[in-house]
């Protein structure tokens, strides 16, 4: 399978979720949207000691980047300006107040992401 192609043969959009430590918010987002049709997801943290630290390769892989807070967007723009190459960074405004897979966090992510995701395929 070629990069950027889905198992169903269509084109995929690569979405990267970013928070500070990559321990709570962005991994939750990655898990929540992992099976959404039409996208591939990943997550990373802006801190050097994050579980999965942000890298130029991840930025280049992403078609669209979602930062949990404005501080994450600012760090991205300062540290990875050349890799961003004009890519869109959307700030979700989700504070660091939630545990991993917290139902309130999941609901908030789904609500904030709805307008950016391709429609889910109808199931019969």
């Amino acid at each position: 399978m070629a990069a950027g192609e889905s198992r169903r043969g269509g084109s995929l959009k690569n979405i990267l979720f970013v928070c500070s430590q990559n321990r709570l918010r962005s991994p939750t987002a990655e898990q929540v949207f992992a099976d959404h049709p039409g996208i591939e997801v990943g997550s990373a943290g802006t801190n050097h000691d994050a579980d999965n630290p942000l890298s130029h390769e991840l930025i280049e892989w992403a078609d669209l980047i979602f930062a949990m807070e404005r501080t994450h967007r600012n760090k991205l723009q300062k540290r990875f300006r050349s890799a961003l190459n004009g890519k869109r960074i959307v700030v979700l405004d989700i504070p660091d107040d939630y545990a991993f897979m917290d139902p309130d966090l999941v609901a908030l992510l789904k609500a904030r992401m709805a307008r950016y995701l391709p429609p889910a395929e109808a199931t019969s």
Side-chain angles (χ1 to χ4, degrees), residues 12 20-21 25 35 38 61-62 70-71 77 93 96 99 118-119 124:
L12 292 177
S20 298
Q21 291 296 111
R25 294 172 288 174
D35 294 326
W61 169 84
R70 284 181 174 79
T71 58
Q77 290 172 329
D93 287 317
D96 194 9
S124 42

Side-chain angles (χ1 to χ4, degrees), residues 25-87:
R25 294 172 288 174
S26 58
T28 296
E30 182 178 10
Q31 188 163 331
V32 167
F33 299 109
D35 294 326
H36 192 88
I39 63 172
E40 289 287 335
V41 294
S43 66
T46 57
N47 293 356
H48 295 292
D49 62 344
D51 284 0
N52 183 32
L54 199 53
S55 67
H56 280 82
E57 292 77 21
L58 281 170
I59 299 291
E60 290 168 0
W61 169 84
D63 296 310
L64 190 54
I65 301 168
F66 291 91
M68 295 297 157
E69 299 176 43
R70 284 181 174 79
T71 58
H72 303 127
R73 180 187 60 198
N74 296 343
K75 285 182 182 181
L76 271 161
Q77 290 172 329
K78 286 180 183 173
R79 289 180 30 211
F80 298 97
R81 184 172 302 280
S82 64
L84 283 168
N85 199 22
K87 291 184 186 200

